[in-house]
Amino acid sequence: MHDIRAIRDNPAAFDAALARRGLAAIADHLLAIDEGRRARITAAETAQAAQNAASKAAGAARARNDDAEFERLRALVAEQKAEAARLDTEAQAEDARLREALLEIPNLPLPEVPDGPDESANLEIARWGTPRDFAFPPAEHFEIGGVKAGMDFATAAKLSGARFVVLRGAVARIHRALAQFMLDLHTTEHGLDETITPVLVRNEAMIGTNQLPKFAEDSYRTTNGWWLIPTAEVTLTNSVAGEILDEAALPIRLVAHTQCFRSEAGSAGKDTSGMLRQHQFEKVEMVSITTPETSLAEHERMTRCAETVLERLGLPYRRMVLCTGDLGFGAQKTHDLEVWLPGQNTYREISSVSVCGDFQARRMNARYRPAGGGKPEFVHSLNGSGLAVGRCLIAVLENGQQADGSVTLPAALHPWLGGRTRLTAEGTLA
């Protein structure tokens, strides 16, 4: 959420930043609401002061037995009290109206973010690994011989409908091994604190990480009002909501492996085959809470944490910086990591790592107390996939596939597979 004071100070700059996202100017509208709100607050304070003065004068009139003056002043006190209450109610309504308007406005892109209308303008800034040269036409993950028995879409459709999968046997074991490998790497080498969180949250948590109010249709809600999290970003980031942290406690670096749930609204017809786009999936999520001065360095650090997972697994990838037209609602800047999928003969997103500045912190009222003293300031928040487990499974299977339908598995996974190195063409580990 944006600071209305910053908009007041430079409305033209605010509108110019929104224009980079392709959005219309809105500062004048916000400032009109703000002006009305502040006018009512001032008027309410004036009425309250008049009420206090009249109350004091009424006491003096009563003390000198001036009944007529006392009655006049008592009526004036009641009048001013009613007026102050009315103005206060109006001010609160305008305050709520302003907050609702601000909650609908996305974060402002950093100056270095490239301008562009959509993903076609995203920039590749780094590449690692060389895609394997296959001696046979590589299959998509769900077509690989050794995978078919362990990736059951028919049963999932019977149970839940489209965009679900049942994993069995060796394929399920590889999926679990990937999550364990990622968690152990992040906790033992990258210094992240493993966290197990709920997957059901209140409205306030979804507002804090900007899923609500704008993107309600993208998530699932239970009949008693809880939301199923679309990512552990929601729970990890909101763990500091309403807190005033000591600067010495920062940065906070968290990681969680959770189920995630997304309605995929607006994705009809996209990635309908396989498990690339699911309503329910697993992800290892990283979240950092930092001071404003260190958030950009932390963004680079988090990106490298995600890249290290891919490098240890030997999966070719490229790093993209998203343009203004493809930037997520809460992000100031985002790095997308795209992994090579030979079955599709293209790179596909497997991680997004974003720095949000104080955008989410203002929504959550998450602050820290500077070590040198002074009033509390808003923290900065960052989030990123480290990685999406299902998509990583797809990449491992497609990049390691062999002509006979077997899959050679990355050496980094062997310890989490009991020393097994291959998925056989029959669908077993060997």
Side-chain angles (χ1 to χ4, degrees), residues 103-425:
L103 286 173
E104 297 275 353
I105 302 169
N107 207 345
L108 305 182
L110 292 175
E112 65 262 30
V113 173
D115 290 329
D118 52 39
E119 63 181 11
S120 65
N122 294 342
L123 294 181
E124 179 180 327
I125 55 176
R127 188 176 288 216
W128 184 92
T130 302
R132 175 180 155 201
D133 190 10
F134 286 82
F136 59 92
E140 291 199 59
H141 58 286
F142 55 90
E143 299 172 325
I144 298 169
V147 174
K148 290 180 179 178
M151 196 172 284
D152 185 352
F153 297 99
T155 300
K158 179 175 68 175
L159 295 171
S160 306
R163 297 196 188 278
F164 291 92
V165 66
V166 171
L167 299 181
R168 291 193 174 97
V171 175
R173 176 76 182 271
I174 297 167
H175 186 276
R176 173 162 56 90
L178 282 165
Q180 292 174 316
F181 160 69
M182 293 175 199
L183 282 174
D184 284 355
L185 176 62
H186 291 317
T187 55
T188 61
E189 296 188 34
H190 297 158
L192 279 64
D193 188 15
E194 184 173 356
T195 311
I196 297 175
T197 75
V199 296
L200 292 166
V201 296
R202 296 172 171 171
N203 280 4
E204 292 82 2
M206 295 285 277
I207 291 170
T209 43
N210 46 259
Q211 282 77 27
L212 293 180
K214 197 171 180 65
F215 304 104
E217 68 173 9
D218 294 338
S219 296
Y220 294 107
R221 194 181 192 187
T222 65
T223 54
N224 62 354
W226 282 323
W227 293 86
L228 288 162
I229 61 171
T231 162
E233 171 199 348
V234 177
T235 45
L236 295 177
T237 307
N238 277 281
S239 66
V240 299
E243 301 288 334
I244 300 179
L245 308 165
D246 288 331
E247 184 175 354
L250 301 178
I252 295 172
R253 294 174 174 141
L254 306 174
V255 63
H257 168 221
T258 66
Q259 294 278 358
C260 304
F261 305 87
R262 295 182 186 177
S263 70
E264 294 294 345
S267 297
K270 295 181 181 178
D271 302 313
T272 54
S273 299
M275 59 178 292
L276 195 68
R277 192 181 297 271
Q278 302 273 283
H279 291 307
Q280 176 184 335
F281 58 96
E282 294 180 32
K283 186 150 67 85
V284 172
E285 182 75 4
M286 306 177 292
V287 161
S288 289
I289 307 297
T290 74
T291 62
E293 295 78 16
T294 59
S295 61
L296 286 179
E298 186 69 10
H299 186 225
E300 178 63 27
R301 182 187 188 278
M302 287 181 71
T303 302
R304 282 300 303 148
C305 289
E307 288 174 338
T308 300
V309 176
L310 293 168
E311 291 170 12
R312 295 286 177 88
L313 294 172
L315 299 173
Y317 70 88
R318 63 183 185 178
R319 185 199 289 198
M320 310 291 289
V321 59
L322 299 193
C323 73
T324 53
D326 199 31
L327 200 61
F329 184 88
Q332 291 181 317
K333 181 181 180 180
T334 296
H335 289 151
D336 264 11
L337 302 183
E338 297 181 349
V339 68
W340 176 253
L341 297 185
Q344 294 191 10
N345 194 38
T346 192
Y347 287 94
R348 294 299 300 266
E349 179 207 330
I350 196 168
S351 174
S352 284
V353 184
S354 299
V355 56
C356 301
D358 63 7
F359 185 79
Q360 294 179 329
R362 289 182 180 277
R363 298 166 82 100
M364 299 184 301
N365 193 29
R367 297 173 291 169
Y368 75 99
R369 187 175 290 104
K375 66 180 183 179
E377 299 178 17
F378 287 105
V379 299
H380 279 199
S381 63
L382 304 93
N383 62 80
S385 307
L387 305 165
V389 183
R391 291 196 173 194
C392 199
L393 173 67
I394 291 170
V396 164
L397 296 174
E398 290 196 9
N399 281 278
Q401 64 181 295
Q402 305 300 314
D404 65 354
S406 65
V407 177
T408 299
L409 299 170
L413 278 188
H414 298 173
W416 286 268
L417 294 170
R420 296 170 179 85
T421 64
R422 298 171 53 249
L423 175 67
T424 69

Side-chain angles (χ1 to χ4, degrees), residues 49-131:
Q51 175 193 338
N52 293 340
S55 181
K56 183 177 179 180
R62 188 167 204 174
R64 64 177 183 267
N65 296 318
D66 189 342
D67 294 339
E69 181 65 3
F70 172 74
E71 290 301 329
R72 185 188 73 80
L73 289 168
R74 186 170 70 167
L76 181 60
V77 167
E79 178 184 322
Q80 292 296 335
K81 182 178 181 181
E83 178 70 359
R86 180 185 67 80
L87 290 165
D88 186 60
T89 299
E90 290 181 3
Q92 289 181 34
E94 288 298 285
D95 193 60
R97 184 180 167 212
L98 179 62
R99 177 173 170 79
E100 289 169 6
L102 290 170
L103 286 173
E104 297 275 353
I105 302 169
N107 207 345
L108 305 182
L110 292 175
E112 65 262 30
V113 173
D115 290 329
D118 52 39
E119 63 181 11
S120 65
N122 294 342
L123 294 181
E124 179 180 327
I125 55 176
R127 188 176 288 216
W128 184 92
T130 302

